[in-house]
Amino acid sequence: MIQQLLTRLRFLLRRPQPAELDEELQFHVDQAIQANLAAGLPPDEARRQAMIEFGGMERTREQCNEQRPGWWMGTAAQDVRYALRGFRRNPVFAITAVATLALGIGATTAIFSAVNALLLRPLPYKQADRLVGLTSVWPTRHENVLISPDFVAAQSAAKSFSQFGGYCLSNGDNLTGAGGAVQVSRANVTANLFPLLGVMPQLGRNFLSEEDRIGGPLVILLSDRLWRDRFHADPGIVGKAATLNGVAHTVVGVLPAHFSFPDPAAEPDYYAPADFDQDTTVSFKAGVWMVRVIARLRPGASMEQAQAEMQAFFDARAKGYPAVLAPWSDGRKIAAEPLQRAMTGDDRKPLFILLISVAAVLLISCANVANLQLARAISRRHETSLRGALGASRLRLIRQFLVESLALSSLAAALGLAIALAVTSLVRHAAVLEGPQASLLGRTAQMLRLPFGKLSAVIEVDGWVLAFTVGLALITTLLFGLAPAISGTRSDLRNALQASGSRMTSGRQQRLLRHTLLVTEVGMAVVLLASAGLLVRSFVNVLRYDSGFDPSHTLIGETHLQAGVATLHGPSAAWPAQRFRSFMDGVLLRLTALPGVEAAGATDALPLDGRTGGVVVFDGVPVPPLGERPFACVTHVTPDYFRAVGTQMFAGRGFGSADNASSLPVAIVNRTFAKKFFAGDALGKRFRTNAGPDHEMEPLNIVGVVDDVRHDSLLGEVQPEAFLPMSQVSALFRVKFVLRIAGNPALLANALRGAVAAVDPEQPVFDIQTMDQRIGDMVAQRRLTMLLIACFAMLAVVLSAVGVYGVFACSVTQRAHELGIRLALGASRGGLLRMVLMQAARLVLLGGVLGLGAAWSLNRLLADLLVGVAPHDALSLGLAWGLMTAVALLAGTLPAADAARIDLISVLHAD
Amino acid sequence: LSIVEGNMPQSTDLLQGTLDVLILQTLAPGPMHGWGVAQRIQQVSKEVLQIGQGSLYPALHRLEYKGWIQSGWGNSENNRRAKYYSLTAAGRKQLERELESWDRLSLAIGLVLGRIKEAQA
């Protein structure tokens, strides 16, 4: 067997020896002549008889060659060489086809690599398919969290899970020690979380269950990143102390370098035990934490069982909730889903829509190249017929066509892969390219990376993506190659050979095929354009929403003023009031003095930060029962804050230096607050709130009214909001600075950091960015989806226009003779132009109508992504149709004009 | 390959692979060139089987590519350079297998056609 293989291999490698074969056959003929002579024939006759007997020498030679193993590969190579020669002879065709396909394949591959990395590839944890995330879903929103008493109760009760872990995220700790102060992010994890994921520390150990309790030891696990950056990868780190918020914590381990925390929004610098209260009654004495859940299905348990069990469990738990939590429990559905799905929930839909759009572009490319191939097949019919007449079988001819198509798509796939590689590496290395002086490349990279957050690091071209691209090359080959191959080789030999090459026109069937392809192209382009229009309008609507502040020329930065233990339950580690006040005064003084700064303010919650606040009650009105008291955002600000963020004062006065700890407690409210609680007339009125660090419910006097500012999101509803002077609270934990700057705000980042460090070198400032950047980040995914679909739509329009041009240019060339005769018989040149243009217009209109119909029914898929515009928005649909029709007709005008310019003499002379 | 019956040549395609076994069998005694193989088959079959070169040489090449026979150049009876074919070990084994299956097949066909009495089988 092996020997047989070796023999075959030897022959495969050895070149054929034509001389040997000739000699062998000649020997045979000579022997036959000898035999005939011996039989007594005269020499001439002996030779003649031998030759007759022998038959065709060439055929035998050919057949002997065909016996060679791998012979067909040789002819395939022949086909490829022939194809490449054809491309060289007709470079315009080859370049157009390859470029068209490469764009389609490249874009599809790039989008697929994101889909693959984010949605298809298993998460890098032990038996990741058994990991489950729990999500609370309401009709209008969903949260990936449970409240901690529920979580603790579920931990021991859940039967569908073998392990039930969870974590809370926080970004509020100052790490001090060698190398200055930095702000570090933390996750408080249950002791079973890392074992559940199958993660073992590279140094030390995981948390012990006895460390995960209230009042447990101060132990932490470091991420590999923090260990390398701050502890010089010290191999003896386990057992040493790290100073967090001024308190020593013992390092018990370092997580492995390749570990990635299973939360798309966070990659914590270090981990501490969760220390949840084991009391499972829901009350607010001990505080309630929002816990994100990761659980492992028990062997044999199904996702549906887990889902049903959790729904019943939480329905029962909701009965024990106090009235305040009614909005939290009413209509709540618990969704148990694979962790991957839970993690990428919001990212799935845009990605799939992008994949569909890009596939449509690829289909248009295929239709275009198929049309080019068809046109080429018609002008090559003479050649094809000749080859057929010389003995090439139909199958061989079809194979020749397909090999050509495969050569085209392989070239295109290689180029497309290069495009995808460039895009994905741009996304992965975006962090390197970003910076204050970001180049165009850096900005592009950032735009592509932001929507995926830290997940962008895993977007790459791997084996699956390669396989996908190869599959695309093969599928596209069949898509654009098969029809031309079959129809191009179906020829009536006699007619084709008789007709001169230039007079060849396409048959009825081929014309139908080409027109169908064209109509499909135009239709798909209209669908893409309409979708792009809807997304662009939505995006404009999002940005136009009146946010109540002016994000331009604004720089922001955050710092956390804390001293204390980095646990969930640590004693409120606020600074002493005196230290807080002198710190704030010192920093604001320095900030105001910076060159270019027009106003410097500070707050504990910027616009769009999400709502923080409490209930409000009013003197002279009976206090409603718990759970029915109205909510208001409560924000602490310094006097210049409103000027710094650009929020307008409507009535009354702002805060001043006279509002201090010993003066009358005052407040400024927004217009919604004034309208909702005081029917618009709030000045001089009083209210009380439980929000803020002091919880005294002392009466606050309203001295001013400001414009509404959104807190939930750019599209969220405006909440009633009260602003309190920062100078009248004891101390705050989170402080955000806002600078309004005359010039480029980004240039003052270092000055802001320096001003804070000059007052307190232990205090790191982080998340320094311009307000424009921050809003840009918030709409990054929406913007990317919109831009990509808009790009795909434009590509689709251009490709379709090229398609229209190609089809009619070719048809005019082929019909030159007919047009000439029409002209000779008295048709006017304008009439010829109209005739060709009308034909194009019929197809374009048909495509447009079909596209509108498809867009009408398909755009519902986009509904979730739309803001302030209906899926059946007439403007978007109409514009899409109008633009496509105009461009396509313009493309059709060029060949029509050629038809009108036809030179009668040369056409008639051509015969 | 054609079977000639009497004066009325009637061309019938032999079963695929039959030519192969004929060639292998012919080469079994010793090396032989293509012409020799054709002559020997014609002779032994009493002129019934005449093998045209159009079938012979592709078959010889096929068998060589399969590794059942090997070729080398030698001198012919009348002192001309000629390509000689001989069986390889694999070819010998293949011949045995083919003969066995031929026996089985011809017996079976004979039985069906009633040319062989079962008692004799």
Side-chain angles (χ1 to χ4, degrees):
Chain A
M1 189 70 201
I2 289 174
Q3 188 170 5
Q4 211 166 325
L5 271 176
L6 283 177
T7 318
R8 279 171 179 240
L9 199 65
R10 202 175 65 233
F11 285 118
L12 195 62
L13 296 177
R14 215 184 70 179
R15 296 192 60 76
Q17 305 281 338
E20 283 191 6
L21 185 57
D22 285 350
E23 187 176 353
E24 188 179 11
L25 296 179
Q26 190 57 49
F27 174 76
H28 190 105
V29 175
D30 290 349
Q31 288 295 101
I33 296 172
Q34 291 290 328
N36 286 344
L37 282 175
L41 290 173
D44 277 5
E45 189 59 17
R47 185 170 189 82
R48 208 177 69 86
Q49 288 290 342
M51 294 306 278
I52 291 170
E53 207 178 302
F54 195 90
M57 176 90 77
E58 189 51 42
R59 210 177 112 79
T60 306
R61 202 180 280 145
E62 191 73 0
Q63 279 182 346
C64 283
N65 280 334
E66 283 177 19
Q67 303 303 325
R68 279 178 71 81
W71 161 82
W72 62 271
M73 282 202 299
T75 59
Q78 226 171 41
D79 283 353
V80 171
R81 272 197 302 277
Y82 185 81
L84 292 179
R85 219 164 42 228
F87 296 163
R88 263 206 305 278
R89 264 205 315 271
N90 196 345
V92 178
F93 160 76
I95 290 171
T96 314
V98 168
T100 307
L101 286 174
L103 279 177
I105 292 181
T108 311
T109 302
I111 297 288
F112 177 76
S113 55
V115 170
N116 178 50
L118 303 183
L119 307 183
L120 301 180
R121 202 159 48 192
L123 296 170
Y125 310 111
K126 186 181 72 182
Q127 293 179 342
D129 56 325
R130 303 291 291 169
L131 293 177
V132 176
L134 287 184
T135 310
S136 307
V137 184
W138 290 267
T140 53
R141 70 196 167 105
H142 66 102
E143 309 258 7
N144 293 325
V145 291
L146 302 178
I147 54 177
S148 51
D150 283 354
F151 171 79
V152 172
Q155 254 191 322
S156 51
K159 297 200 171 39
S160 312
F161 302 104
S162 55
Q163 283 162 301
F164 200 87
Y167 61 94
C168 303
L169 294 173
S170 144
N171 65 344
D173 300 314
N174 296 341
L175 175 67
T176 46
V182 289
Q183 187 267 347
V184 287
S185 59
R186 158 183 30 119
N188 287 84
V189 299
T190 55
N192 65 352
L193 186 70
F194 292 132
L196 180 159
L197 294 173
V199 174
M200 281 301 295
Q202 55 174 316
L203 288 176
R205 56 170 173 83
N206 275 322
F207 294 129
L208 306 173
S209 52
E210 58 264 32
E211 286 166 344
D212 181 10
R213 62 182 165 81
I214 293 184
L218 300 179
V219 289
I220 59 170
L221 278 165
L222 299 180
S223 68
D224 180 76
R225 186 183 57 238
L226 188 65
W227 176 58
R228 286 180 194 283
D229 289 355
R230 292 288 300 196
F231 300 96
H232 313 293
D234 174 9
I237 187 77
V238 173
K240 290 187 182 164
T243 307
L244 290 153
N245 302 334
V247 177
H249 290 64
T250 309
V251 176
V252 296
V254 179
L255 290 171
H258 59 79
F259 172 69
S260 169
F261 195 68
D263 187 303
E267 193 58 61
D269 295 312
Y270 80 101
Y271 302 86
D275 300 346
F276 289 132
D277 192 340
Q278 293 304 303
D279 183 359
T280 59
T281 49
V282 180
S283 70
F284 293 97
K285 270 178 241 133
V288 169
W289 307 100
M290 297 297 176
V291 187
R292 284 154 206 268
V293 181
I294 296 175
R296 182 174 286 283
L297 279 179
R298 191 180 290 286
S302 71
M303 202 67 79
E304 293 72 31
Q305 285 168 358
Q307 159 94 48
E309 189 201 348
M310 286 295 102
Q311 184 68 51
F313 178 80
F314 283 101
D315 284 349
R317 287 285 303 174
K319 299 201 171 81
Y321 284 179
V324 217
L325 274 186
W328 181 259
S329 61
D330 285 353
R332 174 177 62 183
K333 291 268 169 286
I334 298 292
E337 2 174 56
L339 182 60
Q340 187 159 39
R341 183 180 273 267
M343 271 175 68
T344 54
D346 292 342
D347 295 338
R348 300 178 75 82
K349 193 142 195 189
L351 269 178
F352 280 127
I353 287 175
L354 284 177
L355 197 60
I356 293 173
S357 316
V358 85
V361 173
L362 184 61
L363 280 178
I364 294 177
S365 314
C366 284
N368 245 0
V369 177
N371 263 340
L372 282 174
Q373 286 277 61
L374 277 173
R376 209 160 156 251
I378 290 158
S379 55
R380 280 170 63 182
R381 193 183 286 168
H382 201 75
E383 170 207 330
T384 313
S385 309
L386 204 60
R387 294 187 64 187
L390 289 177
S393 68
R394 175 101 190 270
L395 213 61
R396 181 72 207 273
L397 288 177
I398 289 183
R399 198 181 78 176
Q400 169 65 40
F401 269 81
L402 283 182
V403 163
E404 280 188 31
S405 301
L406 188 62
L408 278 181
S409 57
S410 302
L411 283 174
L415 260 175
L417 201 61
I419 295 175
L421 269 173
V423 172
T424 51
S425 74
L426 189 64
V427 171
R428 246 176 312 135
H429 300 121
V432 184
L433 295 163
E434 283 164 22
Q437 264 79 45
S439 60
L440 180 65
L441 197 64
R443 281 205 301 277
T444 315
Q446 193 182 24
M447 191 189 79
L448 291 173
R449 186 186 62 85
L450 267 173
F452 304 118
K454 73 170 196 182
L455 289 175
S456 62
V458 299
I459 296 178
E460 59 178 3
V461 174
D462 64 1
W464 287 108
V465 177
L466 276 178
F468 177 82
T469 315
V470 171
L472 273 188
L474 293 178
I475 291 172
T476 49
T477 305
L478 290 181
L479 278 179
F480 74 75
L482 205 54
I486 290 174
S487 80
T489 54
R490 183 198 296 127
S491 59
D492 174 357
L493 212 62
R494 201 168 48 93
N495 280 348
L497 287 177
Q498 269 176 357
S500 69
S502 62
R503 233 203 285 174
M504 206 106 49
T505 55
S506 38
R508 200 184 169 74
Q509 246 178 344
Q510 280 175 338
R511 209 162 49 230
L512 187 69
L513 184 60
R514 303 179 61 183
H515 290 177
T516 311
L517 287 172
L518 198 62
V519 166
T520 317
E521 273 183 60
V522 172
M524 283 200 287
V526 168
V527 174
L528 278 180
L529 264 182
S531 313
L534 288 174
L535 289 177
V536 170
R537 285 200 68 193
S538 299
F539 189 72
V540 171
N541 282 343
V542 166
L543 290 190
R544 231 185 3 211
Y545 262 56
D546 189 12
S547 53
F549 63 97
D550 174 12
S552 62
H553 297 287
T554 314
L555 187 73
I556 56 177
E558 183 168 352
T559 190
H560 289 177
L561 312 173
Q562 54 189 354
V565 177
T567 65
L568 282 177
H569 302 277
S572 174
W575 282 9
Q578 189 49 46
R579 182 179 174 196
F580 174 67
R581 209 148 324 284
S582 64
F583 172 80
M584 290 307 297
D585 290 347
V587 172
L588 285 175
L589 201 67
R590 280 182 163 75
L591 290 179
T592 313
L594 288 176
V597 170
E598 292 175 345
T603 178
D604 55 351
L606 285 166
L608 304 175
D609 260 357
R611 45 176 129 162
T612 48
V615 298
V616 283
V617 294
F618 306 93
D619 293 349
V621 179
V623 176
L626 211 62
E628 289 168 33
R629 293 173 195 167
F631 171 91
C633 293
V634 173
T635 308
H636 299 89
V637 299
T638 57
D640 275 346
Y641 169 78
F642 293 113
R643 276 215 298 135
V645 291
T647 297
Q648 253 191 310
M649 244 6 247
F650 267 94
R653 65 168 176 94
F655 297 134
S657 52
D659 299 310
N660 57 37
S662 51
S663 70
L664 184 73
V666 291
I668 294 172
V669 298
N670 69 357
R671 294 166 76 193
T672 300
F673 190 106
K675 207 180 312 165
K676 188 166 176 189
F677 302 129
F678 299 106
D681 179 25
L683 278 186
K685 304 281 170 51
R686 306 208 305 178
F687 68 97
R688 299 164 195 260
T689 178
N690 66 351
D694 304 321
H695 293 295
E696 278 156 14
M697 292 290 260
E698 57 177 342
L700 301 165
N701 299 278
I702 300 173
V703 295
V705 179
V706 289
D707 198 2
D708 285 338
V709 173
R710 281 169 210 283
H711 274 277
D712 284 342
S713 69
L714 283 171
L715 306 172
E717 214 175 302
V718 177
Q719 301 292 326
E721 180 170 21
F723 297 90
L724 311 184
M726 211 179 264
S727 50
Q728 288 187 335
V729 291
S730 52
L732 292 171
F733 151 72
R734 174 185 291 124
V735 173
K736 304 186 176 199
F737 297 104
V738 193
L739 302 180
R740 179 152 298 274
I741 293 157
N744 180 358
L747 300 179
L748 266 91
N750 280 331
L752 169 58
R753 202 173 279 123
V756 173
V759 177
D760 185 343
E762 298 275 270
Q763 213 45 57
V765 185
F766 55 93
D767 282 356
I768 299 182
Q769 57 184 344
T770 67
M771 194 66 114
D772 279 331
Q773 273 168 353
R774 182 154 168 274
I775 290 180
D777 292 359
M778 290 175 138
V779 296
Q781 188 172 53
R782 185 177 285 280
R783 183 179 52 195
L784 183 66
T785 310
M786 173 204 73
L787 280 179
L788 284 179
I789 291 198
C791 282
F792 296 156
M794 288 329 279
L795 205 56
V797 170
V798 172
L799 288 176
S800 304
V802 170
V804 171
Y805 171 78
V807 165
F808 285 95
C810 169
S811 123
V812 165
T813 316
Q814 285 169 352
R815 290 169 60 192
H817 195 79
E818 174 212 325
L819 294 171
I821 290 175
R822 279 175 188 268
L823 203 57
L825 291 179
S828 73
R829 286 179 185 276
L832 290 187
L833 186 135
R834 264 199 305 283
M835 184 182 76
V836 174
L837 202 55
M838 280 311 289
Q839 279 177 345
R842 269 206 298 277
L843 293 183
V844 169
L845 285 181
L846 182 61
V849 169
L850 290 180
L852 278 183
W856 183 271
S857 48
L858 287 178
N859 277 347
R860 226 168 305 148
L861 294 175
L862 285 176
D864 292 356
L865 301 181
L866 301 184
V867 174
V869 49
H872 295 158
D873 178 46
L875 182 66
S876 304
L877 288 175
L879 272 181
W881 179 75
L883 180 63
M884 184 65 243
T885 307
V887 172
L889 285 183
L890 201 66
T893 315
L894 299 174
D898 280 345
R901 265 200 305 274
I902 212 148
D903 180 9
L904 191 55
I905 304 299
S906 67
V907 165
L908 295 181
H909 268 210
D911 281 329
Chain B
L1 180 67
S2 51
I3 299 174
V4 182
E5 280 182 19
N7 288 334
M8 295 285 287
Q10 235 175 359
S11 200
T12 323
D13 280 337
L14 279 189
L15 288 171
Q16 175 81 35
T18 310
L19 178 57
D20 289 4
V21 72
L22 289 180
I23 292 174
L24 290 176
Q25 173 68 31
T26 310
L27 287 176
M32 206 174 273
H33 47 64
W35 168 257
V37 171
Q39 292 305 305
R40 172 63 64 86
I41 291 177
Q42 200 171 337
Q43 224 171 37
V44 171
S45 70
K46 306 210 170 69
E47 311 287 320
V48 173
L49 299 175
Q50 292 192 359
I51 300 174
Q53 54 80 30
S55 313
L56 175 67
Y57 286 98
L60 282 171
H61 283 249
R62 182 168 61 244
L63 293 176
E64 189 180 1
Y65 290 132
K66 282 185 175 167
W68 292 339
I69 61 178
Q70 56 196 12
S71 66
W73 291 89
N75 283 335
S76 72
E77 313 79 56
N78 47 8
N79 243 351
R80 272 199 51 184
R81 222 165 88 88
K83 200 173 180 187
Y84 277 83
Y85 294 91
S86 61
L87 278 191
T88 61
R92 227 164 263 288
K93 253 182 253 162
Q94 178 65 18
L95 176 58
E96 278 166 32
R97 271 198 299 272
E98 299 255 358
L99 287 177
E100 242 169 65
S101 80
W102 175 257
D103 285 348
R104 252 199 329 273
L105 185 68
S106 60
L107 180 65
I109 292 178
L111 283 171
V112 171
L113 298 181
R115 291 299 175 90
I116 304 169
K117 301 245 161 51
E118 280 202 57
Q120 279 177 313

